[in-house]
Amino acid sequence: MSLSRLGLVFAAISLVGCGNVMFAVTYKNAMANDDYPALQRVCLREVMLTTGEQDVRSACQKSLELAEKKNDTTYMQKVCDQDKAKNAYACNLVEQTKATSSLATLSCDQVPAAFSKITYLSEMSTAELAPIVAKLASCDLGETIFEQIAHFGEMGPKGTGVAILKAADPLSKGTLLTSFEHYIQKNTGSAFLNDKFAGLGANHIGNWLDDSGYKDLCTPLVRAATGASEDVNSNILFYFSRNKCTAAIPLTIGLLGSSSAAIRNLACINLGTFGDKAALAKVKIVSETDTYYEEVVRNGYLVKIYPVVDSCKEAAGKIRLRVE
């Protein structure tokens, strides 16, 4: 092939690359920089991607994530309309976005049906979920809030569920707390947070209540928690101990007999904070009889440590200082 002919070929490739073909380097840059228009073109097959179908799907996924953040239902609908079977994610996003945006204007009778169309709750941001939770609270849908949303994220005060409840609280104008109070009146014992993420839910709810200054729910919360799962009770103990909720002492003493060493340990730690004379004898028994141990290396030697025994001995000392 002559040099002039070769030059024409390269010129043609260059022109196609600028218009109808996207090369690997451009695709990688688009993905790395969240280039929304470029990714849209790939997903809508307005350009041919030279790296193959797998990268087309990746571009679609990324562009739809960006579309969700931008609330761009027009683009989502275009992707959905391409192939409803293959692009079910896009179609679901359209329904979810419509349901979310209309939720605030709906009557409480209409809210459950609209909420059921929101299929990617756990992937939504706190800012997106807070007004949804506030609307649910205004309709007194506590089961939905506290069993389907509150458990999101990791354990502890920085968990996503805690952030969502805190953000929704002022938006709800008091109805979130009222909804929780109604929830614990209706759902007691085994019905309290009766879902597979119950421990996380209990922990997040306890942190929300305590951090928000709702420290006077001792009696109704103990009533709800009595007979609930060990997972629930062990993860909300800190709320009772921090607020010196003596009504929760029998419930906490009951956890000393758990088959879980971690739960026995938590029971002793918390009883050390708010346990009374009645708890002292039980704590002492565990401190003298618990057989759980772990093996650790100290100074080059493998030794056994007894974390439950140690926590219960410390708790017994603290209780004795208070009551004797």
Side-chain angles (χ1 to χ4, degrees), residues 133-152:
V133 169
K135 178 66 177 183
L136 293 170
S138 72
C139 295
D140 203 14
L141 295 171
E143 284 81 0
T144 304
I145 298 168
F146 302 111
E147 295 179 6
Q148 296 185 41
I149 299 174
H151 64 263
F152 289 166

Side-chain angles (χ1 to χ4, degrees), residues 240-292:
F240 297 136
S241 63
R242 285 180 189 175
N243 296 293
K244 303 299 185 289
C245 181
T246 55
I249 291 175
L251 181 155
T252 313
I253 290 173
L255 294 176
L256 291 173
S258 172
S259 60
S260 165
I263 290 178
R264 297 195 302 275
N265 197 48
L266 278 173
C268 273
I269 290 170
N270 283 280
L271 285 169
T273 301
F274 77 126
D276 58 7
K277 195 167 185 178
L280 180 57
K282 301 291 187 181
V283 170
K284 285 177 67 177
I285 290 172
V286 179
S287 74
E288 295 168 356
T289 62
D290 201 275
T291 58
Y292 176 77

Side-chain angles (χ1 to χ4, degrees), residues 12 39 47 73 81 115 150-151 163 167 178 199 204 227 232 275:
L39 296 172
V47 296
T73 52
D81 290 342
F115 180 79
H151 64 263
T178 301
H204 292 166
V232 167

